[in-house]
Amino acid sequence: MRALLTGSGGFVGRHMHRALDERGYEITCVELRDGDDALDFFRTNDTRFDLAFHCAAIVGGRASIDGSPLGVGTNLALDAWYMRWLIRTGTPRAVYFSSSAAYPVALQQPGDVRRLYEEDINLTYMEEPDASYGWAKLTGEKLAGYAEAEGCRILIPRPFSGFGEDQDEAYPFPAFIRRARERQDPFEIWGDGSSTRDWIHIDDLIGATLALLDADVTGPVNLGWGRATSFDDLARIVTTAAGYVPEMKHRHDAPQGVHHRVSDPSRMLNHFVPRVTLEEGVRRTLAN
């Protein structure tokens, strides 16, 4: 099997590359840090692959999403040219990594946790997603429908809060790990600490994606546990694993994002059951 992998040096891309290599795929990598621009590749390359994974995107955690909306908006061009490339080359099977940021922010407000399921996104009547990053992913899903109509079968994973041992510190999980390693006291938390996220380890994120491909699934699928963990709870899990009990310092002036973002993982669970709990992921990362 010949596979294309864009964004092969990023968090998801690195782990996907390892998994595809273990399966014996012949992999063509496109990574901006290696001098290969995915946008240029999609515009000029006519190679036909058996399978394509599009992991290239501009994103860098909450500060980047809120602080650089036009930069993040570049993803619109990347995704549009990806879909055009799929059809031009006749690539039969593809993966487009969307995001939980594509879900309507109106469904992620304070109050009771509402688990998000795939049908909460209506591509005919699109509701406000999370910032320009969410709009790019939502638009990418819309474009994927057009590409499917032209003959490419596309799986659309919607990961919730992915985490792992080698994640960039711009994201909340590794930032919490660093603070715990340094035994910071007080321990800083952006927001009031009550916001919740649904954490899924990178091993499970990759495993679920490949299991869904093996089962020939197309369309959107949530990747998560369906477990709501507040940032206060995450801080307690991390600091307990690190062996200390600090005072919590809440920064109400920092970017916070939506209040609740938790999946209904039922569609994924038909094909894959995640194995790495948040607690186990914390232990692995602190030990790494």
Side-chain angles (χ1 to χ4, degrees):
M1 289 279 285
R2 301 184 65 209
L4 173 73
L5 176 61
T6 69
S8 56
F11 180 50
V12 173
R14 291 194 302 273
H15 289 266
M16 184 60 74
H17 185 277
R18 187 177 304 121
L20 295 176
D21 187 59
E22 289 173 354
R23 287 185 167 213
Y25 280 77
E26 180 185 331
I27 311 165
T28 295
C29 295
V30 179
E31 169 55 47
L32 187 60
R33 281 172 285 195
D34 295 334
D36 301 318
D37 191 325
L39 192 57
D40 293 337
F41 181 92
F42 295 144
R43 285 171 170 164
T44 61
N45 189 283
D46 291 322
T47 305
R48 185 181 189 273
F49 292 85
D50 301 300
L51 178 61
F53 294 83
H54 181 36
C55 301
I58 295 174
V59 64
R62 192 75 240 172
S64 176
I65 289 173
D66 288 351
S68 183
L70 288 177
V72 171
T74 303
N75 293 331
L76 288 165
L78 272 172
D79 297 345
W81 278 98
Y82 175 55
M83 303 303 171
R84 295 181 68 175
W85 174 85
L86 290 173
I87 300 311
R88 189 176 75 247
T89 59
T91 298
R93 195 75 166 97
V95 176
Y96 171 66
F97 278 98
S98 184
S99 168
S100 55
Y103 279 102
V105 295
L107 303 179
Q108 303 172 69
Q109 298 303 308
D112 294 337
V113 175
R114 184 193 189 284
R115 285 175 172 79
L116 302 166
Y117 60 98
E118 289 83 359
E119 290 75 15
D120 281 328
I121 290 178
N122 184 336
L123 293 176
T124 302
Y125 301 100
M126 292 187 284
E127 299 179 63
E128 184 78 24
D130 187 359
S132 62
Y133 182 72
W135 273 118
K137 292 301 185 182
L138 193 57
T139 305
E141 291 196 25
K142 183 79 171 181
L143 295 175
Y146 299 140
E148 281 220 322
E150 295 291 330
C152 182
R153 305 183 72 253
I154 305 178
L155 171 67
I156 305 174
R158 289 179 186 157
F160 277 65
S161 294
F163 73 100
E165 294 89 320
D166 60 338
Q167 191 176 28
D168 187 273
E169 201 179 295
Y171 295 89
F173 179 83
F176 274 38
I177 291 292
R178 177 183 60 79
R179 292 168 198 159
R181 280 195 177 122
E182 295 173 356
R183 302 180 73 84
Q184 290 188 10
D185 190 359
F187 190 98
E188 183 176 285
I189 300 169
W190 289 10
D192 66 7
S194 65
S195 298
T196 63
R197 295 295 182 267
D198 184 357
W199 300 93
I200 179 168
H201 191 271
I202 187 64
D203 289 355
D204 288 328
L205 193 159
I206 299 299
T209 300
L210 295 177
L212 291 163
L213 279 173
D214 291 342
D216 204 30
V217 175
T218 59
V221 182
N222 288 337
L223 305 186
W225 278 73
R227 173 187 174 185
T229 302
S230 72
F231 283 103
D232 275 353
D233 285 340
L234 177 61
R236 281 190 283 268
I237 291 168
V238 170
T239 55
T240 298
Y244 79 116
V245 182
E247 174 191 351
M248 301 298 175
K249 176 185 177 183
H250 296 103
R251 279 196 54 196
H252 297 276
D253 61 325
Q256 301 176 45
V258 296
H259 200 81
H260 295 302
R261 179 167 288 165
V262 183
S263 74
D264 179 330
S266 300
R267 191 172 294 180
M268 178 195 73
L269 293 175
N270 289 329
H271 306 283
F272 180 85
V273 177
R275 302 172 178 86
V276 185
T277 64
L278 177 57
E279 289 79 4
E280 172 61 21
V282 167
R283 286 192 292 270
R284 287 188 188 183
T285 309
L286 284 171
N288 191 321

